[in-house]
Amino acid sequence: MPGSAPPPPARADEGGSAVVRFGTAVGLAAVAALACVAPAALRVASLDAGDIGKMHAWIGLAAAALLPMLAAVVVLRGAREGLRAFAGAGAGLRLYVVALWMAVLLVGLSLFGSVLRATTHHHGLAGVTFAFGALAFAVGDALVCVRVFNIARMMPEGGRRVLMLALGLAVGIVLLAVGVRFVRAASHDAASYAAAGTVVDVLAFALAALFASRRSLVSRRSIALVGPPIAVVVAAVGVAMLRDAPLRTAIGERAPAFGAIVEALVPH
């Protein structure tokens, strides 16, 4: 009888064998590391601290980013189960509201921090005020975004699209203004320039890791075959390049996000 038939066998590993999964993780981590360090390599190569070529800085930084990128890819792959909460009806709207919450939080905290910097001269007091203010703003922002989600969910499709487009444009314009202000401030101060570079490097790393952890790339046998040898070459050549003291100094000044990793790989 059809009702007594055994259920179809589940796939042992929907992402391919463990060997393929590991090979693709290593290969994609190498490609993502090479991609995410490109902005840092340009900054490091532009520093007048010896004859540092762009390729020299690029491969060295990629070697430094390789292991953290591999760890990020593995962790993000495993986090897919938790992200399944966003699946189903309204998944796009939920993701949009989460992105809206993060964007508004970034703008609000940037403005709040600039006000504290201009009006508060006691660093300890400013830090405590910023911490409590950031927590309150994050909670308030979340409540507003939940309300936006509930309103948008009840609207017809056309009205929902208009609302999402209007909110996205408004927040995008404010984000652009904050970004321009940040770049202007960073260009006039060496410490701010390094901080701006750190923000860029962290964002580039996160975006590259998110792309490399995509589900569609988990079982690509071509990546599993070609990727690990590329990773080995990048690691070997990059570590050899990082033995150059001027390059390590330039990384510490222009790409501090990778400085600790470089020191761990090639200690003095």
Side-chain angles (χ1 to χ4, degrees):
M1 295 177 61
S4 61
R11 286 177 294 179
D13 190 348
E14 64 179 359
S17 67
V19 175
V20 172
R21 292 171 62 87
F22 176 76
T24 55
V26 173
L28 290 169
V31 174
L34 288 167
C36 77
V37 301
L42 293 176
R43 294 196 311 273
V44 170
S46 67
L47 184 64
D48 297 328
D51 188 15
I52 301 175
K54 292 183 176 64
M55 184 64 67
H56 195 173
W58 183 41
I59 301 299
L61 285 165
L66 181 58
L67 284 179
M69 182 63 71
L70 177 60
V73 170
V74 173
V75 170
L76 288 173
R77 281 184 176 182
R80 285 199 308 267
E81 294 297 327
L83 294 177
R84 286 185 179 179
F86 290 100
L93 181 59
R94 283 193 288 271
L95 289 174
Y96 175 85
V97 171
V98 171
L100 181 67
W101 174 76
M102 296 177 64
V104 174
L105 184 62
L106 175 61
V107 172
L109 295 184
S110 299
L111 296 178
F112 184 44
S114 65
V115 171
L116 286 178
R117 183 176 183 181
T119 59
T120 307
H121 302 288
H122 191 284
H123 292 282
L125 178 61
V128 173
T129 304
F130 182 81
F132 282 100
L135 178 61
F137 187 83
V139 173
D141 182 22
L143 294 175
V144 171
C145 288
V146 169
R147 180 60 178 167
V148 170
F149 172 77
N150 291 329
I151 293 174
R153 186 176 56 178
M154 303 302 295
M155 295 176 66
E157 183 67 22
R160 185 186 308 147
R161 290 180 180 275
V162 172
L163 177 63
M164 294 171 65
L165 179 61
L167 289 175
L169 286 175
V171 175
I173 292 173
V174 177
L175 274 175
L176 180 61
V178 171
V180 170
R181 184 178 179 182
F182 181 70
V183 170
R184 287 179 178 175
S187 63
H188 293 87
D189 180 66
S192 297
Y193 184 83
T198 299
V199 172
V200 172
D201 294 340
V202 170
L203 288 176
F205 184 93
L207 291 174
L210 286 172
F211 179 82
S213 62
R214 291 175 60 187
R215 186 169 183 168
S216 59
L217 301 175
V218 170
S219 59
R220 296 292 181 90
R221 295 184 180 275
S222 57
I223 299 176
L225 181 64
V226 178
I230 295 176
V232 170
V233 171
V234 169
V237 176
V239 170
M241 289 181 173
L242 289 175
R243 299 185 185 279
D244 185 14
L247 176 59
R248 295 198 304 271
T249 301
I251 290 174
E253 293 182 12
R254 291 295 179 93
F258 300 100
I261 305 173
V262 171
E263 291 298 325
L265 288 175
V266 188
H268 293 300

PDB file of all heavy atoms in Angstrom, residues 25-38 58 62 65-66 69-70 72-73 204-213 258:
ATOM      1  N   ALA A  25      35.520  25.141   0.861  1.00  0.00           N
ATOM      2  CA  ALA A  25      35.728  26.142   1.913  1.00  0.00           C
ATOM      3  C   ALA A  25      37.126  26.738   1.829  1.00  0.00           C
ATOM      4  O   ALA A  25      37.299  27.961   1.916  1.00  0.00           O
ATOM      5  CB  ALA A  25      35.499  25.503   3.291  1.00  0.00           C
ATOM      6  N   VAL A  26      38.126  25.900   1.626  1.00  0.00           N
ATOM      7  CA  VAL A  26      39.504  26.386   1.528  1.00  0.00           C
ATOM      8  C   VAL A  26      39.682  27.238   0.270  1.00  0.00           C
ATOM      9  O   VAL A  26      40.275  28.327   0.310  1.00  0.00           O
ATOM     10  CB  VAL A  26      40.483  25.206   1.531  1.00  0.00           C
ATOM     11  CG1 VAL A  26      41.906  25.684   1.265  1.00  0.00           C
ATOM     12  CG2 VAL A  26      40.426  24.469   2.862  1.00  0.00           C
ATOM     13  N   GLY A  27      39.171  26.738  -0.850  1.00  0.00           N
ATOM     14  CA  GLY A  27      39.327  27.486  -2.089  1.00  0.00           C
ATOM     15  C   GLY A  27      38.607  28.821  -2.067  1.00  0.00           C
ATOM     16  O   GLY A  27      39.157  29.857  -2.482  1.00  0.00           O
ATOM     17  N   LEU A  28      37.373  28.827  -1.586  1.00  0.00           N
ATOM     18  CA  LEU A  28      36.621  30.079  -1.523  1.00  0.00           C
ATOM     19  C   LEU A  28      37.225  31.037  -0.506  1.00  0.00           C
ATOM     20  O   LEU A  28      37.201  32.256  -0.717  1.00  0.00           O
ATOM     21  CB  LEU A  28      35.169  29.773  -1.165  1.00  0.00           C
ATOM     22  CG  LEU A  28      34.362  29.076  -2.257  1.00  0.00           C
ATOM     23  CD1 LEU A  28      33.031  28.585  -1.713  1.00  0.00           C
ATOM     24  CD2 LEU A  28      34.126  30.019  -3.438  1.00  0.00           C
ATOM     25  N   ALA A  29      37.783  30.500   0.571  1.00  0.00           N
ATOM     26  CA  ALA A  29      38.448  31.369   1.542  1.00  0.00           C
ATOM     27  C   ALA A  29      39.655  32.053   0.923  1.00  0.00           C
ATOM     28  O   ALA A  29      39.909  33.236   1.182  1.00  0.00           O
ATOM     29  CB  ALA A  29      38.870  30.554   2.769  1.00  0.00           C
ATOM     30  N   ALA A  30      40.395  31.324   0.077  1.00  0.00           N
ATOM     31  CA  ALA A  30      41.551  31.932  -0.585  1.00  0.00           C
ATOM     32  C   ALA A  30      41.119  33.046  -1.530  1.00  0.00           C
ATOM     33  O   ALA A  30      41.698  34.143  -1.541  1.00  0.00           O
ATOM     34  CB  ALA A  30      42.333  30.858  -1.344  1.00  0.00           C
ATOM     35  N   VAL A  31      40.089  32.776  -2.324  1.00  0.00           N
ATOM     36  CA  VAL A  31      39.607  33.799  -3.269  1.00  0.00           C
ATOM     37  C   VAL A  31      39.044  35.000  -2.511  1.00  0.00           C
ATOM     38  O   VAL A  31      39.310  36.163  -2.860  1.00  0.00           O
ATOM     39  CB  VAL A  31      38.534  33.193  -4.192  1.00  0.00           C
ATOM     40  CG1 VAL A  31      37.922  34.269  -5.074  1.00  0.00           C
ATOM     41  CG2 VAL A  31      39.145  32.084  -5.058  1.00  0.00           C
ATOM     42  N   ALA A  32      38.274  34.733  -1.459  1.00  0.00           N
ATOM     43  CA  ALA A  32      37.693  35.828  -0.686  1.00  0.00           C
ATOM     44  C   ALA A  32      38.773  36.638   0.018  1.00  0.00           C
ATOM     45  O   ALA A  32      38.671  37.872   0.124  1.00  0.00           O
ATOM     46  CB  ALA A  32      36.701  35.266   0.334  1.00  0.00           C
ATOM     47  N   ALA A  33      39.819  35.980   0.514  1.00  0.00           N
ATOM     48  CA  ALA A  33      40.911  36.702   1.157  1.00  0.00           C
ATOM     49  C   ALA A  33      41.627  37.605   0.160  1.00  0.00           C
ATOM     50  O   ALA A  33      41.949  38.762   0.470  1.00  0.00           O
ATOM     51  CB  ALA A  33      41.891  35.711   1.785  1.00  0.00           C
ATOM     52  N   LEU A  34      41.874  37.096  -1.033  1.00  0.00           N
ATOM     53  CA  LEU A  34      42.507  37.924  -2.062  1.00  0.00           C
ATOM     54  C   LEU A  34      41.643  39.129  -2.418  1.00  0.00           C
ATOM     55  O   LEU A  34      42.156  40.226  -2.681  1.00  0.00           O
ATOM     56  CB  LEU A  34      42.771  37.081  -3.308  1.00  0.00           C
ATOM     57  CG  LEU A  34      43.907  36.051  -3.208  1.00  0.00           C
ATOM     58  CD1 LEU A  34      43.853  35.083  -4.386  1.00  0.00           C
ATOM     59  CD2 LEU A  34      45.262  36.756  -3.175  1.00  0.00           C
ATOM     60  N   ALA A  35      40.330  38.943  -2.415  1.00  0.00           N
ATOM     61  CA  ALA A  35      39.437  40.037  -2.790  1.00  0.00           C
ATOM     62  C   ALA A  35      39.313  41.073  -1.681  1.00  0.00           C
ATOM     63  O   ALA A  35      39.360  42.285  -1.928  1.00  0.00           O
ATOM     64  CB  ALA A  35      38.053  39.480  -3.142  1.00  0.00           C
ATOM     65  N   CYS A  36      39.176  40.626  -0.437  1.00  0.00           N
ATOM     66  CA  CYS A  36      38.857  41.568   0.635  1.00  0.00           C
ATOM     67  C   CYS A  36      40.041  42.437   1.035  1.00  0.00           C
ATOM     68  O   CYS A  36      39.830  43.509   1.622  1.00  0.00           O
ATOM     69  CB  CYS A  36      38.311  40.822   1.848  1.00  0.00           C
ATOM     70  SG  CYS A  36      39.549  39.972   2.847  1.00  0.00           S
ATOM     71  N   VAL A  37      41.267  42.016   0.744  1.00  0.00           N
ATOM     72  CA  VAL A  37      42.423  42.814   1.152  1.00  0.00           C
ATOM     73  C   VAL A  37      42.866  43.803   0.082  1.00  0.00           C
ATOM     74  O   VAL A  37      43.846  44.530   0.291  1.00  0.00           O
ATOM     75  CB  VAL A  37      43.615  41.901   1.523  1.00  0.00           C
ATOM     76  CG1 VAL A  37      43.245  40.967   2.654  1.00  0.00           C
ATOM     77  CG2 VAL A  37      44.101  41.111   0.318  1.00  0.00           C
ATOM     78  N   ALA A  38      42.158  43.861  -1.032  1.00  0.00           N
ATOM     79  CA  ALA A  38      42.563  44.772  -2.104  1.00  0.00           C
ATOM     80  C   ALA A  38      42.609  46.234  -1.647  1.00  0.00           C
ATOM     81  O   ALA A  38      43.594  46.947  -1.922  1.00  0.00           O
ATOM     82  CB  ALA A  38      41.637  44.602  -3.312  1.00  0.00           C
ATOM     83  N   TRP A  58      49.577  42.935  -1.527  1.00  0.00           N
ATOM     84  CA  TRP A  58      48.342  42.188  -1.751  1.00  0.00           C
ATOM     85  C   TRP A  58      48.480  40.731  -1.304  1.00  0.00           C
ATOM     86  O   TRP A  58      47.654  40.205  -0.554  1.00  0.00           O
ATOM     87  CB  TRP A  58      47.959  42.281  -3.227  1.00  0.00           C
ATOM     88  CG  TRP A  58      46.670  41.615  -3.589  1.00  0.00           C
ATOM     89  CD1 TRP A  58      45.515  41.626  -2.876  1.00  0.00           C
ATOM     90  CD2 TRP A  58      46.413  40.841  -4.756  1.00  0.00           C
ATOM     91  NE1 TRP A  58      44.534  40.910  -3.533  1.00  0.00           N
ATOM     92  CE2 TRP A  58      45.067  40.422  -4.693  1.00  0.00           C
ATOM     93  CE3 TRP A  58      47.187  40.474  -5.859  1.00  0.00           C
ATOM     94  CZ2 TRP A  58      44.482  39.642  -5.680  1.00  0.00           C
ATOM     95  CZ3 TRP A  58      46.610  39.702  -6.857  1.00  0.00           C
ATOM     96  CH2 TRP A  58      45.267  39.295  -6.762  1.00  0.00           C
ATOM     97  N   ALA A  62      46.771  38.946   1.906  1.00  0.00           N
ATOM     98  CA  ALA A  62      45.890  37.799   1.653  1.00  0.00           C
ATOM     99  C   ALA A  62      46.294  36.604   2.506  1.00  0.00           C
ATOM    100  O   ALA A  62      45.440  35.873   3.023  1.00  0.00           O
ATOM    101  CB  ALA A  62      45.918  37.437   0.168  1.00  0.00           C
ATOM    102  N   ALA A  65      44.954  37.164   5.919  1.00  0.00           N
ATOM    103  CA  ALA A  65      43.498  37.056   6.021  1.00  0.00           C
ATOM    104  C   ALA A  65      42.980  35.654   5.746  1.00  0.00           C
ATOM    105  O   ALA A  65      41.794  35.388   5.975  1.00  0.00           O
ATOM    106  CB  ALA A  65      42.838  38.034   5.044  1.00  0.00           C
ATOM    107  N   LEU A  66      43.838  34.749   5.300  1.00  0.00           N
ATOM    108  CA  LEU A  66      43.362  33.437   4.833  1.00  0.00           C
ATOM    109  C   LEU A  66      42.720  32.612   5.952  1.00  0.00           C
ATOM    110  O   LEU A  66      41.580  32.135   5.813  1.00  0.00           O
ATOM    111  CB  LEU A  66      44.527  32.674   4.204  1.00  0.00           C
ATOM    112  CG  LEU A  66      44.188  31.290   3.634  1.00  0.00           C
ATOM    113  CD1 LEU A  66      43.098  31.383   2.578  1.00  0.00           C
ATOM    114  CD2 LEU A  66      45.438  30.640   3.042  1.00  0.00           C
ATOM    115  N   MET A  69      39.496  34.098   7.284  1.00  0.00           N
ATOM    116  CA  MET A  69      38.448  33.966   6.281  1.00  0.00           C
ATOM    117  C   MET A  69      37.924  32.535   6.235  1.00  0.00           C
ATOM    118  O   MET A  69      36.702  32.310   6.116  1.00  0.00           O
ATOM    119  CB  MET A  69      38.976  34.386   4.907  1.00  0.00           C
ATOM    120  CG  MET A  69      37.943  34.325   3.799  1.00  0.00           C
ATOM    121  SD  MET A  69      36.546  35.447   4.059  1.00  0.00           S
ATOM    122  CE  MET A  69      37.345  37.027   3.768  1.00  0.00           C
ATOM    123  N   LEU A  70      38.811  31.555   6.332  1.00  0.00           N
ATOM    124  CA  LEU A  70      38.368  30.159   6.346  1.00  0.00           C
ATOM    125  C   LEU A  70      37.455  29.901   7.539  1.00  0.00           C
ATOM    126  O   LEU A  70      36.409  29.248   7.410  1.00  0.00           O
ATOM    127  CB  LEU A  70      39.582  29.239   6.385  1.00  0.00           C
ATOM    128  CG  LEU A  70      39.293  27.736   6.472  1.00  0.00           C
ATOM    129  CD1 LEU A  70      38.476  27.274   5.276  1.00  0.00           C
ATOM    130  CD2 LEU A  70      40.598  26.948   6.566  1.00  0.00           C
ATOM    131  N   ALA A  72      35.636  32.116   9.102  1.00  0.00           N
ATOM    132  CA  ALA A  72      34.373  32.828   8.883  1.00  0.00           C
ATOM    133  C   ALA A  72      33.478  32.082   7.912  1.00  0.00           C
ATOM    134  O   ALA A  72      32.257  31.990   8.112  1.00  0.00           O
ATOM    135  CB  ALA A  72      34.660  34.241   8.362  1.00  0.00           C
ATOM    136  N   VAL A  73      34.055  31.517   6.851  1.00  0.00           N
ATOM    137  CA  VAL A  73      33.259  30.774   5.873  1.00  0.00           C
ATOM    138  C   VAL A  73      32.631  29.546   6.521  1.00  0.00           C
ATOM    139  O   VAL A  73      31.437  29.263   6.326  1.00  0.00           O
ATOM    140  CB  VAL A  73      34.143  30.371   4.670  1.00  0.00           C
ATOM    141  CG1 VAL A  73      33.404  29.384   3.761  1.00  0.00           C
ATOM    142  CG2 VAL A  73      34.537  31.609   3.866  1.00  0.00           C
ATOM    143  N   ALA A 204      34.792  44.947   3.975  1.00  0.00           N
ATOM    144  CA  ALA A 204      35.211  44.128   2.837  1.00  0.00           C
ATOM    145  C   ALA A 204      35.352  42.668   3.245  1.00  0.00           C
ATOM    146  O   ALA A 204      34.949  41.757   2.504  1.00  0.00           O
ATOM    147  CB  ALA A 204      36.536  44.659   2.279  1.00  0.00           C
ATOM    148  N   PHE A 205      35.908  42.425   4.417  1.00  0.00           N
ATOM    149  CA  PHE A 205      36.049  41.047   4.909  1.00  0.00           C
ATOM    150  C   PHE A 205      34.681  40.405   5.102  1.00  0.00           C
ATOM    151  O   PHE A 205      34.464  39.247   4.694  1.00  0.00           O
ATOM    152  CB  PHE A 205      36.823  41.068   6.229  1.00  0.00           C
ATOM    153  CG  PHE A 205      37.117  39.704   6.792  1.00  0.00           C
ATOM    154  CD1 PHE A 205      38.310  39.066   6.512  1.00  0.00           C
ATOM    155  CD2 PHE A 205      36.194  39.051   7.607  1.00  0.00           C
ATOM    156  CE1 PHE A 205      38.577  37.803   7.022  1.00  0.00           C
ATOM    157  CE2 PHE A 205      36.447  37.798   8.111  1.00  0.00           C
ATOM    158  CZ  PHE A 205      37.652  37.167   7.823  1.00  0.00           C
ATOM    159  N   ALA A 206      33.754  41.137   5.714  1.00  0.00           N
ATOM    160  CA  ALA A 206      32.426  40.579   5.975  1.00  0.00           C
ATOM    161  C   ALA A 206      31.683  40.264   4.678  1.00  0.00           C
ATOM    162  O   ALA A 206      31.069  39.191   4.540  1.00  0.00           O
ATOM    163  CB  ALA A 206      31.613  41.558   6.819  1.00  0.00           C
ATOM    164  N   LEU A 207      31.740  41.180   3.714  1.00  0.00           N
ATOM    165  CA  LEU A 207      31.053  40.943   2.442  1.00  0.00           C
ATOM    166  C   LEU A 207      31.660  39.765   1.698  1.00  0.00           C
ATOM    167  O   LEU A 207      30.934  38.934   1.128  1.00  0.00           O
ATOM    168  CB  LEU A 207      31.112  42.205   1.579  1.00  0.00           C
ATOM    169  CG  LEU A 207      30.286  43.391   2.073  1.00  0.00           C
ATOM    170  CD1 LEU A 207      30.542  44.619   1.210  1.00  0.00           C
ATOM    171  CD2 LEU A 207      28.799  43.057   2.071  1.00  0.00           C
ATOM    172  N   ALA A 208      32.990  39.672   1.690  1.00  0.00           N
ATOM    173  CA  ALA A 208      33.643  38.551   1.018  1.00  0.00           C
ATOM    174  C   ALA A 208      33.296  37.230   1.689  1.00  0.00           C
ATOM    175  O   ALA A 208      33.056  36.216   1.020  1.00  0.00           O
ATOM    176  CB  ALA A 208      35.156  38.763   1.001  1.00  0.00           C
ATOM    177  N   ALA A 209      33.252  37.217   3.020  1.00  0.00           N
ATOM    178  CA  ALA A 209      32.903  35.980   3.740  1.00  0.00           C
ATOM    179  C   ALA A 209      31.463  35.576   3.470  1.00  0.00           C
ATOM    180  O   ALA A 209      31.170  34.379   3.295  1.00  0.00           O
ATOM    181  CB  ALA A 209      33.131  36.178   5.239  1.00  0.00           C
ATOM    182  N   LEU A 210      30.566  36.546   3.429  1.00  0.00           N
ATOM    183  CA  LEU A 210      29.166  36.229   3.129  1.00  0.00           C
ATOM    184  C   LEU A 210      29.022  35.635   1.735  1.00  0.00           C
ATOM    185  O   LEU A 210      28.280  34.672   1.533  1.00  0.00           O
ATOM    186  CB  LEU A 210      28.312  37.494   3.259  1.00  0.00           C
ATOM    187  CG  LEU A 210      28.035  37.977   4.681  1.00  0.00           C
ATOM    188  CD1 LEU A 210      27.355  39.338   4.646  1.00  0.00           C
ATOM    189  CD2 LEU A 210      27.166  36.970   5.424  1.00  0.00           C
ATOM    190  N   PHE A 211      29.733  36.190   0.769  1.00  0.00           N
ATOM    191  CA  PHE A 211      29.656  35.652  -0.592  1.00  0.00           C
ATOM    192  C   PHE A 211      30.262  34.253  -0.661  1.00  0.00           C
ATOM    193  O   PHE A 211      29.700  33.345  -1.286  1.00  0.00           O
ATOM    194  CB  PHE A 211      30.385  36.579  -1.561  1.00  0.00           C
ATOM    195  CG  PHE A 211      30.381  36.082  -2.980  1.00  0.00           C
ATOM    196  CD1 PHE A 211      29.290  36.297  -3.800  1.00  0.00           C
ATOM    197  CD2 PHE A 211      31.472  35.386  -3.484  1.00  0.00           C
ATOM    198  CE1 PHE A 211      29.276  35.825  -5.105  1.00  0.00           C
ATOM    199  CE2 PHE A 211      31.468  34.906  -4.790  1.00  0.00           C
ATOM    200  CZ  PHE A 211      30.362  35.132  -5.598  1.00  0.00           C
ATOM    201  N   ALA A 212      31.408  34.064  -0.007  1.00  0.00           N
ATOM    202  CA  ALA A 212      32.079  32.761  -0.067  1.00  0.00           C
ATOM    203  C   ALA A 212      31.305  31.665   0.649  1.00  0.00           C
ATOM    204  O   ALA A 212      31.539  30.476   0.383  1.00  0.00           O
ATOM    205  CB  ALA A 212      33.486  32.883   0.532  1.00  0.00           C
ATOM    206  N   SER A 213      30.413  32.022   1.562  1.00  0.00           N
ATOM    207  CA  SER A 213      29.648  31.018   2.299  1.00  0.00           C
ATOM    208  C   SER A 213      28.300  30.719   1.660  1.00  0.00           C
ATOM    209  O   SER A 213      27.467  30.048   2.275  1.00  0.00           O
ATOM    210  CB  SER A 213      29.431  31.487   3.738  1.00  0.00           C
ATOM    211  OG  SER A 213      28.684  32.691   3.772  1.00  0.00           O
ATOM    212  N   PHE A 258      44.700  44.069  10.158  1.00  0.00           N
ATOM    213  CA  PHE A 258      45.456  42.843   9.894  1.00  0.00           C
ATOM    214  C   PHE A 258      46.771  42.796  10.665  1.00  0.00           C
ATOM    215  O   PHE A 258      47.517  41.828  10.532  1.00  0.00           O
ATOM    216  CB  PHE A 258      45.756  42.722   8.392  1.00  0.00           C
ATOM    217  CG  PHE A 258      44.534  42.678   7.530  1.00  0.00           C
ATOM    218  CD1 PHE A 258      44.102  43.817   6.862  1.00  0.00           C
ATOM    219  CD2 PHE A 258      43.795  41.522   7.392  1.00  0.00           C
ATOM    220  CE1 PHE A 258      42.968  43.791   6.072  1.00  0.00           C
ATOM    221  CE2 PHE A 258      42.663  41.480   6.606  1.00  0.00           C
ATOM    222  CZ  PHE A 258      42.239  42.622   5.943  1.00  0.00           C
TER     223      PHE A 258
END
